[in-house]
PDB file of all heavy atoms in Angstrom:
ATOM      1  N   ALA A 241     -49.047  30.833  13.518  1.00 96.00           N
ATOM      2  CA  ALA A 241     -48.266  30.378  12.434  1.00 96.00           C
ATOM      3  C   ALA A 241     -48.899  30.780  11.128  1.00 96.00           C
ATOM      4  O   ALA A 241     -50.160  30.900  11.014  1.00 96.00           O
ATOM      5  CB  ALA A 241     -48.125  28.823  12.451  1.00 96.00           C
ATOM      6  N   PHE A 242     -48.073  31.072  10.082  1.00 97.00           N
ATOM      7  CA  PHE A 242     -48.609  31.532   8.834  1.00 97.00           C
ATOM      8  C   PHE A 242     -47.682  31.093   7.708  1.00 97.00           C
ATOM      9  O   PHE A 242     -46.554  30.808   7.887  1.00 97.00           O
ATOM     10  CB  PHE A 242     -48.831  33.083   8.808  1.00 97.00           C
ATOM     11  CG  PHE A 242     -47.544  33.862   8.983  1.00 97.00           C
ATOM     12  CD1 PHE A 242     -46.699  34.144   7.944  1.00 97.00           C
ATOM     13  CD2 PHE A 242     -47.216  34.280  10.277  1.00 97.00           C
ATOM     14  CE1 PHE A 242     -45.542  34.951   8.218  1.00 97.00           C
ATOM     15  CE2 PHE A 242     -46.079  35.038  10.479  1.00 97.00           C
ATOM     16  CZ  PHE A 242     -45.232  35.300   9.499  1.00 97.00           C
ATOM     17  N   ARG A 243     -48.246  31.036   6.426  1.00 97.00           N
ATOM     18  CA  ARG A 243     -47.484  30.775   5.257  1.00 97.00           C
ATOM     19  C   ARG A 243     -47.582  31.895   4.271  1.00 97.00           C
ATOM     20  O   ARG A 243     -48.776  32.275   4.001  1.00 97.00           O
ATOM     21  CB  ARG A 243     -47.894  29.435   4.666  1.00 97.00           C
ATOM     22  CG  ARG A 243     -47.100  29.107   3.366  1.00 97.00           C
ATOM     23  CD  ARG A 243     -47.466  27.786   2.721  1.00 97.00           C
ATOM     24  NE  ARG A 243     -48.845  27.837   2.162  1.00 97.00           N
ATOM     25  CZ  ARG A 243     -49.195  28.337   0.991  1.00 97.00           C
ATOM     26  NH1 ARG A 243     -48.257  28.917   0.271  1.00 97.00           N
ATOM     27  NH2 ARG A 243     -50.439  28.340   0.634  1.00 97.00           N
ATOM     28  N   LEU A 244     -46.500  32.302   3.669  1.00 97.00           N
ATOM     29  CA  LEU A 244     -46.555  33.310   2.587  1.00 97.00           C
ATOM     30  C   LEU A 244     -46.098  32.698   1.291  1.00 97.00           C
ATOM     31  O   LEU A 244     -45.194  31.807   1.273  1.00 97.00           O
ATOM     32  CB  LEU A 244     -45.643  34.534   2.980  1.00 97.00           C
ATOM     33  CG  LEU A 244     -45.892  35.236   4.283  1.00 97.00           C
ATOM     34  CD1 LEU A 244     -44.849  36.286   4.468  1.00 97.00           C
ATOM     35  CD2 LEU A 244     -47.259  35.822   4.271  1.00 97.00           C
ATOM     36  N   ASP A 245     -46.622  33.167   0.150  1.00 97.00           N
ATOM     37  CA  ASP A 245     -46.195  32.741  -1.083  1.00 97.00           C
ATOM     38  C   ASP A 245     -44.756  33.271  -1.333  1.00 97.00           C
ATOM     39  O   ASP A 245     -44.523  34.488  -1.102  1.00 97.00           O
ATOM     40  CB  ASP A 245     -47.104  33.364  -2.198  1.00 97.00           C
ATOM     41  CG  ASP A 245     -46.672  32.877  -3.655  1.00 97.00           C
ATOM     42  OD1 ASP A 245     -45.854  33.519  -4.219  1.00 97.00           O
ATOM     43  OD2 ASP A 245     -47.249  31.881  -4.106  1.00 97.00           O
ATOM     44  N   PRO A 246     -43.825  32.430  -1.776  1.00 95.00           N
ATOM     45  CA  PRO A 246     -42.444  32.934  -1.813  1.00 95.00           C
ATOM     46  C   PRO A 246     -42.163  33.985  -2.938  1.00 95.00           C
ATOM     47  O   PRO A 246     -41.173  34.688  -2.824  1.00 95.00           O
ATOM     48  CB  PRO A 246     -41.682  31.587  -2.137  1.00 95.00           C
ATOM     49  CG  PRO A 246     -42.722  30.704  -2.792  1.00 95.00           C
ATOM     50  CD  PRO A 246     -43.962  31.036  -2.207  1.00 95.00           C
ATOM     51  N   ASP A 247     -43.108  34.043  -3.899  1.00 93.00           N
ATOM     52  CA  ASP A 247     -42.909  35.022  -4.938  1.00 93.00           C
ATOM     53  C   ASP A 247     -43.604  36.373  -4.642  1.00 93.00           C
ATOM     54  O   ASP A 247     -43.027  37.405  -4.822  1.00 93.00           O
ATOM     55  CB  ASP A 247     -43.372  34.448  -6.307  1.00 93.00           C
ATOM     56  CG  ASP A 247     -42.533  33.234  -6.709  1.00 93.00           C
ATOM     57  OD1 ASP A 247     -41.306  33.300  -6.599  1.00 93.00           O
ATOM     58  OD2 ASP A 247     -43.126  32.261  -7.206  1.00 93.00           O
ATOM     59  N   THR A 248     -44.828  36.297  -4.267  1.00 94.00           N
ATOM     60  CA  THR A 248     -45.688  37.485  -4.122  1.00 94.00           C
ATOM     61  C   THR A 248     -45.775  37.885  -2.617  1.00 94.00           C
ATOM     62  O   THR A 248     -46.212  39.035  -2.327  1.00 94.00           O
ATOM     63  CB  THR A 248     -47.100  37.253  -4.618  1.00 94.00           C
ATOM     64  OG1 THR A 248     -47.722  36.252  -3.788  1.00 94.00           O
ATOM     65  CG2 THR A 248     -47.125  36.802  -6.062  1.00 94.00           C
ATOM     66  N   LEU A 249     -45.342  36.985  -1.712  1.00 95.00           N
ATOM     67  CA  LEU A 249     -45.451  37.247  -0.264  1.00 95.00           C
ATOM     68  C   LEU A 249     -46.964  37.436   0.152  1.00 95.00           C
ATOM     69  O   LEU A 249     -47.221  38.045   1.163  1.00 95.00           O
ATOM     70  CB  LEU A 249     -44.682  38.418   0.173  1.00 95.00           C
ATOM     71  CG  LEU A 249     -43.115  38.317  -0.065  1.00 95.00           C
ATOM     72  CD1 LEU A 249     -42.390  39.484   0.598  1.00 95.00           C
ATOM     73  CD2 LEU A 249     -42.548  37.027   0.592  1.00 95.00           C
ATOM     74  N   ALA A 250     -47.893  36.898  -0.639  1.00 96.00           N
ATOM     75  CA  ALA A 250     -49.294  36.973  -0.274  1.00 96.00           C
ATOM     76  C   ALA A 250     -49.567  35.883   0.811  1.00 96.00           C
ATOM     77  O   ALA A 250     -48.902  34.788   0.824  1.00 96.00           O
ATOM     78  CB  ALA A 250     -50.182  36.723  -1.497  1.00 96.00           C
ATOM     79  N   LEU A 251     -50.450  36.142   1.680  1.00 96.00           N
ATOM     80  CA  LEU A 251     -50.813  35.218   2.769  1.00 96.00           C
ATOM     81  C   LEU A 251     -51.555  33.974   2.201  1.00 96.00           C
ATOM     82  O   LEU A 251     -52.539  34.140   1.517  1.00 96.00           O
ATOM     83  CB  LEU A 251     -51.637  35.905   3.750  1.00 96.00           C
ATOM     84  CG  LEU A 251     -52.055  35.097   5.011  1.00 96.00           C
ATOM     85  CD1 LEU A 251     -50.834  34.620   5.826  1.00 96.00           C
ATOM     86  CD2 LEU A 251     -53.048  35.837   5.913  1.00 96.00           C
ATOM     87  N   GLY A 252     -51.001  32.823   2.495  1.00 97.00           N
ATOM     88  CA  GLY A 252     -51.646  31.554   2.076  1.00 97.00           C
ATOM     89  C   GLY A 252     -52.580  31.120   3.181  1.00 97.00           C
ATOM     90  O   GLY A 252     -53.753  30.709   2.897  1.00 97.00           O
ATOM     91  N   TRP A 253     -52.152  31.019   4.441  1.00 97.00           N
ATOM     92  CA  TRP A 253     -52.955  30.642   5.566  1.00 97.00           C
ATOM     93  C   TRP A 253     -52.429  31.222   6.876  1.00 97.00           C
ATOM     94  O   TRP A 253     -51.160  31.547   6.929  1.00 97.00           O
ATOM     95  CB  TRP A 253     -53.247  29.126   5.611  1.00 97.00           C
ATOM     96  CG  TRP A 253     -51.981  28.321   5.641  1.00 97.00           C
ATOM     97  CD1 TRP A 253     -51.426  27.649   4.596  1.00 97.00           C
ATOM     98  CD2 TRP A 253     -50.999  28.060   6.745  1.00 97.00           C
ATOM     99  NE1 TRP A 253     -50.343  26.974   4.906  1.00 97.00           N
ATOM    100  CE2 TRP A 253     -50.061  27.253   6.238  1.00 97.00           C
ATOM    101  CE3 TRP A 253     -50.973  28.453   8.039  1.00 97.00           C
ATOM    102  CZ2 TRP A 253     -48.944  26.707   7.035  1.00 97.00           C
ATOM    103  CZ3 TRP A 253     -49.904  27.994   8.784  1.00 97.00           C
ATOM    104  CH2 TRP A 253     -48.974  27.189   8.345  1.00 97.00           C
ATOM    105  N   SER A 254     -53.179  31.207   7.909  1.00 96.00           N
ATOM    106  CA  SER A 254     -52.800  31.684   9.196  1.00 96.00           C
ATOM    107  C   SER A 254     -53.560  30.929  10.182  1.00 96.00           C
ATOM    108  O   SER A 254     -54.846  30.768  10.051  1.00 96.00           O
ATOM    109  CB  SER A 254     -52.967  33.208   9.371  1.00 96.00           C
ATOM    110  OG  SER A 254     -52.664  33.625  10.731  1.00 96.00           O
ATOM    111  N   ILE A 255     -52.901  30.293  11.234  1.00 96.00           N
ATOM    112  CA  ILE A 255     -53.649  29.545  12.229  1.00 96.00           C
ATOM    113  C   ILE A 255     -53.121  29.977  13.634  1.00 96.00           C
ATOM    114  O   ILE A 255     -52.015  30.438  13.802  1.00 96.00           O
ATOM    115  CB  ILE A 255     -53.443  28.068  12.088  1.00 96.00           C
ATOM    116  CG1 ILE A 255     -51.930  27.693  12.141  1.00 96.00           C
ATOM    117  CG2 ILE A 255     -54.050  27.532  10.748  1.00 96.00           C
ATOM    118  CD1 ILE A 255     -51.566  26.154  12.114  1.00 96.00           C
ATOM    119  N   ALA A 256     -53.986  29.831  14.586  1.00 95.00           N
ATOM    120  CA  ALA A 256     -53.664  30.180  16.013  1.00 95.00           C
ATOM    121  C   ALA A 256     -53.004  29.012  16.667  1.00 95.00           C
ATOM    122  O   ALA A 256     -53.379  27.830  16.481  1.00 95.00           O
ATOM    123  CB  ALA A 256     -54.932  30.592  16.725  1.00 95.00           C
ATOM    124  N   LEU A 257     -52.010  29.237  17.527  1.00 93.00           N
ATOM    125  CA  LEU A 257     -51.322  28.199  18.213  1.00 93.00           C
ATOM    126  C   LEU A 257     -51.266  28.612  19.742  1.00 93.00           C
ATOM    127  O   LEU A 257     -51.357  29.831  20.121  1.00 93.00           O
ATOM    128  CB  LEU A 257     -49.913  28.036  17.792  1.00 93.00           C
ATOM    129  CG  LEU A 257     -49.658  27.664  16.322  1.00 93.00           C
ATOM    130  CD1 LEU A 257     -48.173  27.716  16.022  1.00 93.00           C
ATOM    131  CD2 LEU A 257     -50.212  26.359  15.970  1.00 93.00           C
ATOM    132  N   SER A 258     -51.037  27.698  20.599  1.00 91.00           N
ATOM    133  CA  SER A 258     -50.746  28.012  22.010  1.00 91.00           C
ATOM    134  C   SER A 258     -49.414  28.683  22.011  1.00 91.00           C
ATOM    135  O   SER A 258     -48.414  28.243  21.463  1.00 91.00           O
ATOM    136  CB  SER A 258     -50.703  26.775  22.895  1.00 91.00           C
ATOM    137  OG  SER A 258     -50.104  27.069  24.088  1.00 91.00           O
ATOM    138  N   PRO A 259     -49.322  29.846  22.674  1.00 90.00           N
ATOM    139  CA  PRO A 259     -47.992  30.595  22.700  1.00 90.00           C
ATOM    140  C   PRO A 259     -46.934  29.913  23.455  1.00 90.00           C
ATOM    141  O   PRO A 259     -45.749  30.300  23.327  1.00 90.00           O
ATOM    142  CB  PRO A 259     -48.438  31.956  23.375  1.00 90.00           C
ATOM    143  CG  PRO A 259     -49.617  31.697  24.176  1.00 90.00           C
ATOM    144  CD  PRO A 259     -50.411  30.629  23.403  1.00 90.00           C
ATOM    145  N   VAL A 260     -47.232  28.885  24.234  1.00 90.00           N
ATOM    146  CA  VAL A 260     -46.209  28.222  25.028  1.00 90.00           C
ATOM    147  C   VAL A 260     -45.959  26.760  24.468  1.00 90.00           C
ATOM    148  O   VAL A 260     -45.180  26.039  25.073  1.00 90.00           O
ATOM    149  CB  VAL A 260     -46.535  28.158  26.523  1.00 90.00           C
ATOM    150  CG1 VAL A 260     -46.580  29.553  27.105  1.00 90.00           C
ATOM    151  CG2 VAL A 260     -47.870  27.455  26.768  1.00 90.00           C
ATOM    152  N   ALA A 261     -46.702  26.323  23.502  1.00 93.00           N
ATOM    153  CA  ALA A 261     -46.532  25.016  22.939  1.00 93.00           C
ATOM    154  C   ALA A 261     -45.225  24.788  22.211  1.00 93.00           C
ATOM    155  O   ALA A 261     -44.901  25.646  21.381  1.00 93.00           O
ATOM    156  CB  ALA A 261     -47.809  24.651  22.107  1.00 93.00           C
ATOM    157  N   PRO A 262     -44.481  23.803  22.522  1.00 94.00           N
ATOM    158  CA  PRO A 262     -43.336  23.431  21.734  1.00 94.00           C
ATOM    159  C   PRO A 262     -43.670  23.204  20.272  1.00 94.00           C
ATOM    160  O   PRO A 262     -44.687  22.566  19.966  1.00 94.00           O
ATOM    161  CB  PRO A 262     -42.707  22.224  22.401  1.00 94.00           C
ATOM    162  CG  PRO A 262     -43.210  22.250  23.723  1.00 94.00           C
ATOM    163  CD  PRO A 262     -44.579  22.842  23.671  1.00 94.00           C
ATOM    164  N   THR A 263     -42.825  23.683  19.254  1.00 94.00           N
ATOM    165  CA  THR A 263     -43.106  23.518  17.858  1.00 94.00           C
ATOM    166  C   THR A 263     -41.815  23.130  17.138  1.00 94.00           C
ATOM    167  O   THR A 263     -40.708  23.324  17.703  1.00 94.00           O
ATOM    168  CB  THR A 263     -43.596  24.865  17.241  1.00 94.00           C
ATOM    169  OG1 THR A 263     -42.620  25.934  17.517  1.00 94.00           O
ATOM    170  CG2 THR A 263     -44.960  25.261  17.765  1.00 94.00           C
ATOM    171  N   ALA A 264     -42.059  22.501  16.031  1.00 94.00           N
ATOM    172  CA  ALA A 264     -40.900  22.139  15.135  1.00 94.00           C
ATOM    173  C   ALA A 264     -41.339  22.184  13.727  1.00 94.00           C
ATOM    174  O   ALA A 264     -42.504  21.805  13.365  1.00 94.00           O
ATOM    175  CB  ALA A 264     -40.380  20.716  15.465  1.00 94.00           C
ATOM    176  N   LEU A 265     -40.487  22.650  12.819  1.00 93.00           N
ATOM    177  CA  LEU A 265     -40.805  22.781  11.411  1.00 93.00           C
ATOM    178  C   LEU A 265     -39.933  21.807  10.657  1.00 93.00           C
ATOM    179  O   LEU A 265     -38.717  21.740  10.829  1.00 93.00           O
ATOM    180  CB  LEU A 265     -40.547  24.179  10.929  1.00 93.00           C
ATOM    181  CG  LEU A 265     -41.548  25.202  11.278  1.00 93.00           C
ATOM    182  CD1 LEU A 265     -41.005  26.668  11.059  1.00 93.00           C
ATOM    183  CD2 LEU A 265     -42.818  25.051  10.567  1.00 93.00           C
ATOM    184  N   THR A 266     -40.600  21.065   9.746  1.00 92.00           N
ATOM    185  CA  THR A 266     -39.832  20.232   8.759  1.00 92.00           C
ATOM    186  C   THR A 266     -40.174  20.603   7.322  1.00 92.00           C
ATOM    187  O   THR A 266     -40.892  21.625   7.194  1.00 92.00           O
ATOM    188  CB  THR A 266     -40.223  18.706   8.974  1.00 92.00           C
ATOM    189  OG1 THR A 266     -41.571  18.524   8.588  1.00 92.00           O
ATOM    190  CG2 THR A 266     -40.033  18.289  10.416  1.00 92.00           C
ATOM    191  N   ARG A 267     -39.726  19.956   6.389  1.00 90.00           N
ATOM    192  CA  ARG A 267     -39.924  20.335   4.989  1.00 90.00           C
ATOM    193  C   ARG A 267     -41.389  20.382   4.617  1.00 90.00           C
ATOM    194  O   ARG A 267     -41.800  21.144   3.805  1.00 90.00           O
ATOM    195  CB  ARG A 267     -39.203  19.328   4.111  1.00 90.00           C
ATOM    196  CG  ARG A 267     -39.187  19.657   2.612  1.00 90.00           C
ATOM    197  CD  ARG A 267     -38.453  18.613   1.821  1.00 90.00           C
ATOM    198  NE  ARG A 267     -39.022  17.314   2.044  1.00 90.00           N
ATOM    199  CZ  ARG A 267     -38.416  16.133   1.823  1.00 90.00           C
ATOM    200  NH1 ARG A 267     -37.123  16.119   1.406  1.00 90.00           N
ATOM    201  NH2 ARG A 267     -39.009  14.919   1.983  1.00 90.00           N
ATOM    202  N   ASP A 268     -42.207  19.434   5.247  1.00 92.00           N
ATOM    203  CA  ASP A 268     -43.593  19.345   4.819  1.00 92.00           C
ATOM    204  C   ASP A 268     -44.616  19.672   5.907  1.00 92.00           C
ATOM    205  O   ASP A 268     -45.787  19.881   5.628  1.00 92.00           O
ATOM    206  CB  ASP A 268     -43.890  17.825   4.400  1.00 92.00           C
ATOM    207  CG  ASP A 268     -43.039  17.430   3.252  1.00 92.00           C
ATOM    208  OD1 ASP A 268     -42.876  18.220   2.319  1.00 92.00           O
ATOM    209  OD2 ASP A 268     -42.597  16.249   3.191  1.00 92.00           O
ATOM    210  N   HIS A 269     -44.166  19.665   7.242  1.00 94.00           N
ATOM    211  CA  HIS A 269     -45.156  19.815   8.248  1.00 94.00           C
ATOM    212  C   HIS A 269     -44.636  20.722   9.354  1.00 94.00           C
ATOM    213  O   HIS A 269     -43.461  20.898   9.584  1.00 94.00           O
ATOM    214  CB  HIS A 269     -45.424  18.421   8.897  1.00 94.00           C
ATOM    215  CG  HIS A 269     -46.161  17.495   7.985  1.00 94.00           C
ATOM    216  ND1 HIS A 269     -45.521  16.468   7.429  1.00 94.00           N
ATOM    217  CD2 HIS A 269     -47.469  17.508   7.536  1.00 94.00           C
ATOM    218  CE1 HIS A 269     -46.407  15.835   6.594  1.00 94.00           C
ATOM    219  NE2 HIS A 269     -47.591  16.372   6.690  1.00 94.00           N
ATOM    220  N   LEU A 270     -45.670  21.283  10.064  1.00 95.00           N
ATOM    221  CA  LEU A 270     -45.405  21.979  11.326  1.00 95.00           C
ATOM    222  C   LEU A 270     -45.907  21.077  12.412  1.00 95.00           C
ATOM    223  O   LEU A 270     -47.048  20.630  12.488  1.00 95.00           O
ATOM    224  CB  LEU A 270     -46.255  23.333  11.336  1.00 95.00           C
ATOM    225  CG  LEU A 270     -46.457  23.953  12.774  1.00 95.00           C
ATOM    226  CD1 LEU A 270     -45.124  24.432  13.362  1.00 95.00           C
ATOM    227  CD2 LEU A 270     -47.446  25.129  12.602  1.00 95.00           C
ATOM    228  N   PHE A 271     -45.090  20.739  13.416  1.00 96.00           N
ATOM    229  CA  PHE A 271     -45.468  19.918  14.562  1.00 96.00           C
ATOM    230  C   PHE A 271     -45.726  20.848  15.728  1.00 96.00           C
ATOM    231  O   PHE A 271     -44.939  21.735  16.021  1.00 96.00           O
ATOM    232  CB  PHE A 271     -44.316  18.979  14.918  1.00 96.00           C
ATOM    233  CG  PHE A 271     -44.152  17.833  13.890  1.00 96.00           C
ATOM    234  CD1 PHE A 271     -43.326  17.993  12.694  1.00 96.00           C
ATOM    235  CD2 PHE A 271     -44.742  16.623  14.112  1.00 96.00           C
ATOM    236  CE1 PHE A 271     -43.220  16.942  11.857  1.00 96.00           C
ATOM    237  CE2 PHE A 271     -44.637  15.576  13.217  1.00 96.00           C
ATOM    238  CZ  PHE A 271     -43.912  15.713  12.088  1.00 96.00           C
ATOM    239  N   VAL A 272     -46.785  20.573  16.451  1.00 96.00           N
ATOM    240  CA  VAL A 272     -47.129  21.282  17.643  1.00 96.00           C
ATOM    241  C   VAL A 272     -47.514  20.311  18.780  1.00 96.00           C
ATOM    242  O   VAL A 272     -48.238  19.357  18.498  1.00 96.00           O
ATOM    243  CB  VAL A 272     -48.339  22.219  17.411  1.00 96.00           C
ATOM    244  CG1 VAL A 272     -48.690  23.077  18.652  1.00 96.00           C
ATOM    245  CG2 VAL A 272     -48.116  23.143  16.203  1.00 96.00           C
TER     246      VAL A 272
END
Side-chain angles (χ1 to χ4, degrees):
F242 59 86
R243 179 181 67 80
L244 302 176
D245 182 275
D247 296 319
T248 65
L249 297 186
L251 181 63
W253 52 259
S254 175
I255 59 174
L257 303 174
S258 166
V260 295
T263 57
L265 285 166
T266 66
R267 183 180 61 199
D268 299 323
H269 294 105
L270 162 66
F271 288 85
V272 184

